[in-house]
Amino acid sequence: NAGVTQTPKFQVLKTGQSMTLQCAQDMNHNSMYWYRQDPGMGLRLIYYSASEGTTDKGEVPNGYNVSRLNKREFSLRLESAAPSQTSVYFCASSENRGRTEAFFGQGTRLTVV
Amino acid sequence: SQQGEEDPQALSIQEGENATMNCSYKTSINNLQWYRQNSGRGLVHLILIRSNEREKHSGRLRVTLDTSKKSSSLLITASRAADTASYFCATVRMDSSYKLIFGSGTRLLVRP
């Protein structure tokens, strides 16, 4: 049972490059989330998708875009990476719009140089 | 600013002692959840308490919720070295946004 799978696990980008972080869940969950976690900090919500076909901004959406490709997949795109986007990115899913527990992927460690 | 704020930011206790962490939040909530994060790993859900509940137990964990004070506490009894981790509270607001917002966390060190 894979749960929430994120790819890649590690990535180094140069300033200005673009990339897409992939997330897939196999639990038939409706809601999916993208967070970033900076060293010694809590998680900050970037974007979320309450259900298939919908996306909405979180606390720190600037510099990011998302696509809810289908019920399983929710991708996060950095169009022009900046050093301030160096962080660990976590994807999560929950069955019912936050009313039930969320399951997390293992994270993507992104460094922008 | 973040919805939830944990207190203390760091806690160091001896194995066998109890650990108490507090979480305060700002807006009305649908539920409050506690998560654990081992260093360098993803988060693992511990317990969820709904806004109409006041206390919940799960094994060595006890969570309380006081909606009038907009606060929650997580008690870990008889702590073990393996409980060393960061603990986060997260809230789902009582609106249509369905956002799951995390606090800043408490780093717990349990000394053997």
Side-chain angles (χ1 to χ4, degrees):
Chain A
N1 189 359
V4 179
T5 303
Q6 291 183 234
T7 55
K9 287 186 170 52
F10 300 93
Q11 184 71 47
V12 178
L13 287 179
K14 293 182 179 179
T15 298
Q17 286 185 319
S18 63
M19 79 161 294
T20 300
L21 280 65
Q22 307 286 354
C23 175
Q25 50 92 7
D26 63 0
M27 296 172 282
N28 201 35
H29 285 171
N30 289 307
S31 303
M32 298 185 73
Y33 308 83
W34 274 107
Y35 294 90
R36 62 176 286 173
Q37 184 177 34
D38 298 319
M41 304 274 291
L43 277 71
R44 290 185 290 170
L45 181 64
I46 305 171
Y47 271 93
Y48 68 103
S49 172
S51 60
E52 184 179 359
T54 68
T55 61
D56 209 343
K57 295 178 180 179
E59 302 169 285
V60 288
N62 291 344
Y64 305 94
N65 285 300
V66 290
S67 295
R68 184 75 183 266
L69 303 170
N70 47 55
K71 193 171 187 180
R72 288 188 63 247
E73 299 172 287
F74 188 39
S75 63
L76 178 72
R77 183 161 178 83
L78 288 70
E79 291 291 350
S80 179
S84 60
Q85 294 178 305
T86 293
S87 191
V88 180
Y89 291 83
F90 288 100
C91 177
S93 71
S94 70
E95 183 179 8
N96 186 12
R97 303 188 177 203
R99 297 194 186 99
T100 54
E101 65 184 291
F103 292 81
F104 280 79
Q106 287 304 299
T108 295
R109 190 173 297 273
L110 175 66
T111 301
V112 183
V113 298
Chain B
S1 60
Q2 292 185 284
Q3 161 78 323
E5 296 293 334
E6 279 93 335
D7 170 57
Q9 290 186 331
L11 181 61
S12 179
I13 60 174
Q14 204 71 33
E15 202 165 29
E17 293 180 337
N18 295 341
T20 299
M21 289 159 265
N22 302 297
C23 170
S24 60
Y25 57 91
K26 298 174 183 174
T27 63
S28 296
I29 60 171
N30 176 281
N31 67 72
L32 185 144
Q33 305 176 31
W34 285 91
Y35 289 81
R36 165 193 169 127
Q37 183 181 36
N38 287 85
S39 181
R41 307 294 298 273
L43 277 74
V44 175
H45 182 266
L46 295 176
I47 199 164
L48 181 152
I49 186 165
R50 304 194 189 283
S51 59
N52 61 352
E53 298 175 311
R54 292 297 168 258
E55 188 171 312
K56 211 161 182 181
H57 297 255
S58 177
R60 293 185 295 113
L61 305 181
R62 172 178 170 253
V63 168
T64 62
L65 179 64
D66 187 335
T67 53
S68 66
K69 295 181 179 178
K70 292 186 169 58
S71 67
S72 173
S73 67
L74 170 67
L75 169 67
I76 304 173
T77 60
S79 63
R80 306 165 181 169
D83 293 329
T84 293
S86 291
Y87 292 81
F88 296 91
C89 69
T91 55
V92 176
R93 297 177 184 177
M94 185 69 79
D95 59 24
S96 60
S97 70
Y98 309 114
K99 295 179 182 179
L100 180 63
I101 302 295
F102 281 80
S104 50
T106 293
R107 294 187 305 279
L108 174 65
L109 172 64
V110 181
R111 305 186 305 273

